[in-house]
Amino acid sequence: MALRTFDSTALVFRLHESAPQLVREVLLERGWMEYNGQEQEEGDWNLYWRASAFHNADFTNVLPWQRLNHHPKTLGITRKDHLARNLKRMRCTFGSALYNFSPTAYILPNNYTTFLAEYTKSRLRDTGKSGYWICKPVDLSRGRGIFIFEDIKDLMYDSPVIVQRYISNPLLISGYKFDLRIYVCVKSFHPLTIYIHQEGLVRFATERYNLSSLDNPFSHLTNTSINKLGPCYRTAKERVGQGCKWTMNKFRCFLHSQDIDERLLWQRINTIVTLTLLTIAPSVPFSPNCVELFGFDILIDANLKPWLLEVNYSPALTLDCAADVTVKKDVLNDLIDLMNYKKVDVLRQKGYQPTYCQGHVSPSSTITPVLLRPKSKSLPRQQSNNPSSLHSNVSLPFLQQKQINSPDSSRGDSSCSSVNFVLISKSNAVAALGSEGGHFPLLKLPGSVTQPDCTDIEVVMENKRVLPPEAKQNSRHSCRCLCKLPAIYVQKYRLPIFSWRAKFQESGNPPFRVGGFILTFPFNEVTLKASKDNLNVKIAVQEVHKLLTWLASPCSHKMKRQGEGVLDRGRKSDSFPALFWGPKNLPLLSDLLHHKVIKTHK
Ligand code: ADP
């Protein structure tokens, strides 16, 4: 059997069996190595990818160099009934003028009487017709168990479902219904930081839209899993072509060809994404090692109003056609870029290289890195019979620790206690302290450390718990303390494509663009402030509302004053030059609002 050569400098990914093959392909292409539980230590990986949810323990045991591809507690938008309930709650709080982007929905059997009342009311109002309804099982996906009905006598269900108003006037392309799959990355919930990818998918039904055949899934449902089994999948359909997907870019060309002013459409979608995420953001625990890729399904009606159909927890990453290859590979690569890994993760390596910690450091070194291990983890496999076992007898001669009062110490999940580490050189130079402004500070080790890439080391610790006295006395024991959660919300990110001005780079703001991912929230200084510390949902909602209203009514004088309010904060100091997500050539949001010549950033 051929032995696998293990490159200890490579970044390591760990895939759950449910994880998509594309993740493996993309990461291997980027030079990562796949985690092998037989050969590697338990925590010796940088990214763990699961299609399904993580266990609570995965979140609490995460190590400083590790990332997980899901945030905890996002079911509030990814399960159909929870989404309906949460959007209803937000509608009651912030008004139906703003939270009006999801078709009215009833959770059955619980809301059956309310549904019946609404159904009857519509029937009386519309001379015997109640309109069309769609019934969906709350916890199924890919179109399974869905049906459309007009008459309540056709409503049958044997598990919890939602019954939703069927958008019966969708925008059609050559008679075919479609919806949009928008890729949204929530890099962090605290502070709320949302990116939307410029690419996405347009998913077509493969038979012409026809309200007189409600039971034809190929005419009414746009799920690929359904349509690829349809008789017309391979047929070259008028304008749509073969198959059932377009890239978002192709859709933009379609909009141009129809002379449609797309800006309001994009901003409405953008608003839907932010307002939906705001429904759960305050209740998602602080978890800076997590990142999430959501798939938002948006249907556009004949009046160009976008509707939110659902939010997908693990959007499909299978490659069925050319559009999938173009879009999904880019989305994944950009997502990895957003996670901001260095070429070499020195922190993880230090965790698994005792020789370095045992003093094989050049005399010119002034700082010895911390070795971090989870409190509860068992000793690594093979430690006793493997002389080179990575954790054995590690000594940390120059490590000192102390608890630091940080403004963040009161936040977050109390079960996630951790300690601050302060690295102190022989000459007592403090390398990092506390945290600041809702972000964790970065520890930059001085360039005099001789290990390759050490200048790239970024260590961030959260202080949540006082060290036990014995740990204070014995630095070896300190290795066992639970250290967790460095921010992946980094301040110095080198953009792969878009280089923004140095002053913004240093401002600590999230990058405005990473590959095809465009920062959509925060989008000005007010929302930046509202997103930090304790997320101020009210202010965030107000700003989103202002922006949308302004874009929808650019000519009104009243609106003009409001719009100036939205802009001036960003424009006077030019300190938050957010891009406008959506159009092919990305204008600056401020230029768009001022109706100036649109500046583009390619
Ligand atoms: P699933 O998770 O099973 O994909 P969705 O809510 O995404 O469930 O619905 C599947 C498809 O049904 C959508 O892609 C869309 O084509 C259609 N659909 C769902 N809800 C509506 C609606 N309210 N109005 C019109 N079409 C809808």
Side-chain angles (χ1 to χ4, degrees):
M1 200 178 80
L3 274 181
R4 190 171 82 136
T5 8
F6 184 73
D7 174 5
S8 66
T9 63
L11 292 163
V12 176
F13 64 92
R14 180 176 169 190
L15 293 189
H16 183 251
E17 57 199 21
S18 64
Q21 175 63 16
L22 184 64
V23 176
R24 175 177 286 121
E25 267 171 40
V26 164
L27 290 169
L28 289 175
E29 269 171 27
R30 293 173 70 106
W32 287 51
M33 290 199 68
E34 183 157 3
Y35 173 75
N36 181 334
Q38 303 301 314
E39 294 173 14
Q40 285 165 266
E41 307 294 338
E42 204 179 311
D44 192 10
W45 46 266
N46 300 93
L47 171 65
Y48 187 6
W49 190 289
R50 289 178 70 113
S52 49
F54 286 102
H55 304 292
N56 283 344
D58 294 322
F59 293 113
T60 47
N61 290 336
V62 71
L63 290 165
W65 54 83
Q66 298 174 337
R67 309 273 189 259
L68 307 176
N69 75 314
H70 293 297
H71 285 280
K73 300 203 169 146
T74 54
L75 210 63
I77 54 169
T78 55
R79 219 178 97 135
K80 293 178 179 72
D81 51 341
H82 291 210
L83 176 67
R85 201 173 295 124
N86 275 321
L87 290 178
K88 188 172 170 198
R89 177 176 53 81
M90 294 299 269
R91 208 163 24 244
C92 293
T93 314
F94 296 105
S96 53
L98 200 54
Y99 275 89
N100 63 352
F101 51 80
S102 171
T104 317
Y106 303 89
I107 303 163
L108 304 190
N110 289 0
N111 297 345
Y112 184 79
T113 38
T114 333
F115 166 64
L116 190 62
E118 176 61 27
Y119 173 87
T120 315
K121 203 166 87 189
S122 322
R123 236 187 137 102
L124 292 174
R125 195 180 49 218
D126 300 334
T127 55
K129 296 204 161 211
S130 84
Y132 298 91
W133 301 89
I134 185 165
C135 176
K136 322 187 214 182
V138 294
D139 54 358
L140 289 185
S141 58
R142 291 180 272 136
R144 288 171 296 175
I146 294 184
F147 61 92
I148 300 150
F149 65 94
E150 221 185 333
D151 194 320
I152 203 165
K153 73 173 170 21
D154 296 325
L155 171 61
M156 276 173 283
Y157 53 92
D158 54 10
S159 64
V161 293
I162 66 161
V163 168
Q164 203 174 51
R165 279 241 174 242
Y166 186 63
I167 309 297
S168 56
N169 63 335
L171 182 66
L172 303 175
I173 297 183
S174 292
Y176 293 93
K177 178 176 171 177
F178 64 92
D179 71 1
L180 307 181
R181 166 60 54 86
I182 310 279
Y183 293 100
V184 175
C185 169
V186 179
K187 190 166 176 205
S188 139
F189 274 96
H190 306 282
L192 183 60
T193 312
I194 307 171
Y195 287 83
I196 307 184
H197 205 277
Q198 273 291 86
E199 260 309 347
L201 288 166
V202 182
R203 308 173 319 157
F204 286 92
T206 44
E207 291 188 24
R208 284 208 160 86
Y209 188 66
N210 184 354
L211 278 173
S212 50
S213 61
L214 292 181
D215 55 357
N216 180 359
F218 308 119
S219 163
H220 290 276
L221 306 188
T222 51
N223 304 81
T224 309
S225 49
I226 289 177
N227 283 285
K228 70 181 181 189
L229 306 175
C232 303
Y233 180 66
R234 296 195 187 283
T235 315
K237 294 168 282 297
E238 185 188 339
R239 187 143 205 172
V240 172
Q242 280 191 341
C244 66
K245 276 186 202 161
W246 280 3
T247 62
M248 194 66 86
N249 220 15
K250 191 161 176 185
F251 180 60
R252 287 191 188 98
C253 295
F254 165 79
L255 293 176
H256 287 174
S257 73
Q258 303 296 299
D259 263 349
I260 292 174
D261 180 8
E262 7 150 33
R263 289 175 305 182
L264 188 56
L265 173 68
W266 297 128
Q267 184 49 38
R268 279 174 157 169
I269 295 176
N270 196 340
T271 303
I272 289 176
V273 170
T274 306
L275 294 181
T276 305
L277 288 164
L278 281 170
T279 64
I280 54 158
S283 57
V284 175
F286 182 60
S287 45
N289 287 42
C290 302
V291 73
E292 185 106 31
L293 181 70
F294 291 108
F296 276 63
D297 290 349
I298 305 282
L299 183 84
I300 302 169
D301 72 17
N303 304 314
L304 289 182
K305 176 180 159 85
W307 294 89
L308 176 69
L309 297 184
E310 70 158 345
V311 182
N312 289 277
Y313 180 69
S314 271
L317 291 172
T318 41
L319 302 183
D320 286 325
C321 59
D324 275 349
V325 178
T326 313
V327 172
K328 292 177 181 175
K329 271 195 123 175
D330 274 7
V331 168
L332 261 186
N333 269 306
D334 294 341
L335 184 73
I336 306 297
D337 284 340
L338 251 176
M339 289 188 213
N340 193 39
Y341 286 102
K342 305 293 174 199
K343 272 193 250 99
V344 175
D345 184 339
V346 183
L347 186 56
R348 190 189 101 246
Q349 282 181 23
K350 295 300 167 277
Y352 291 95
Q353 287 177 0
T355 48
Y356 180 50
C357 294
Q358 282 171 346
H360 294 265
V361 182
S362 139
S364 66
S365 297
T366 52
I367 284 181
T368 301
V370 187
L371 175 71
L372 301 164
R373 285 184 59 202
K375 186 183 178 193
S376 55
K377 292 229 162 123
S378 55
L379 285 174
R381 265 168 285 212
Q382 301 164 2
Q383 183 174 338
S384 55
N385 52 14
N386 178 1
S388 66
S389 177
L390 298 175
H391 290 310
S392 55
N393 291 322
V394 177
S395 66
L396 296 166
F398 309 130
L399 174 69
Q400 291 182 23
Q401 305 148 38
K402 89 183 177 192
Q403 198 207 0
I404 300 156
N405 290 328
S406 144
D408 277 311
S409 57
S410 60
R411 185 166 60 194
D413 184 358
S414 57
S415 67
C416 301
S417 60
S418 60
V419 293
N420 255 332
F421 282 80
V422 182
L423 287 182
I424 301 187
S425 71
K426 271 179 175 168
S427 58
N428 281 340
V430 175
L433 284 171
S435 66
E436 195 186 313
H439 304 291
F440 289 96
L442 301 178
L443 170 63
K444 289 268 180 201
L445 294 185
S448 56
V449 176
T450 53
Q451 289 285 309
D453 260 290
C454 272
T455 46
D456 269 346
I457 296 175
E458 290 175 348
V459 183
V460 188
M461 307 296 164
E462 183 183 0
N463 57 310
K464 289 281 174 70
R465 195 185 62 179
V466 184
L467 274 178
E470 66 276 16
K472 281 185 181 162
Q473 283 154 20
N474 187 343
S475 60
R476 268 182 63 194
H477 291 168
S478 68
C479 304
R480 290 176 167 273
C481 295
L482 176 63
C483 305
K484 68 186 291 288
L485 309 185
I488 56 175
Y489 185 77
V490 291
Q491 301 185 0
K492 298 211 172 192
Y493 184 82
R494 275 173 231 109
L495 274 180
I497 300 172
F498 180 73
S499 79
W500 75 101
R501 283 165 270 177
K503 106 174 164 179
F504 307 129
Q505 234 168 330
E506 269 146 35
S507 67
N509 294 345
F512 298 108
R513 174 180 185 167
V514 176
F517 275 114
I518 310 304
L519 180 74
T520 58
F521 189 91
F523 55 85
N524 61 12
E525 282 180 6
V526 181
T527 46
L528 179 69
K529 194 157 177 289
S531 72
K532 286 182 178 170
D533 303 326
N534 287 325
L535 174 68
N536 192 327
V537 177
K538 192 172 168 200
I539 290 188
V541 169
Q542 279 169 357
E543 285 295 303
V544 170
H545 184 45
K546 255 191 234 172
L547 180 60
L548 183 65
T549 325
W550 170 243
L551 271 167
S553 319
C555 300
S556 133
H557 284 298
K558 193 165 148 251
M559 286 298 107
K560 192 159 190 297
R561 278 202 301 278
Q562 272 188 15
E564 279 160 4
V566 173
L567 291 182
D568 286 348
R569 285 178 284 251
R571 197 151 242 277
K572 268 181 201 148
S573 55
D574 208 13
S575 59
F576 207 92
L579 297 168
F580 179 64
W581 171 83
K584 188 168 184 184
N585 297 320
L586 291 157
L588 282 171
L589 187 54
S590 52
D591 281 349
L592 184 82
L593 289 166
H594 274 290
H595 290 266
K596 289 268 166 81
V597 180
I598 287 174
K599 231 192 244 172
T600 58
H601 294 270
K602 291 182 188 150

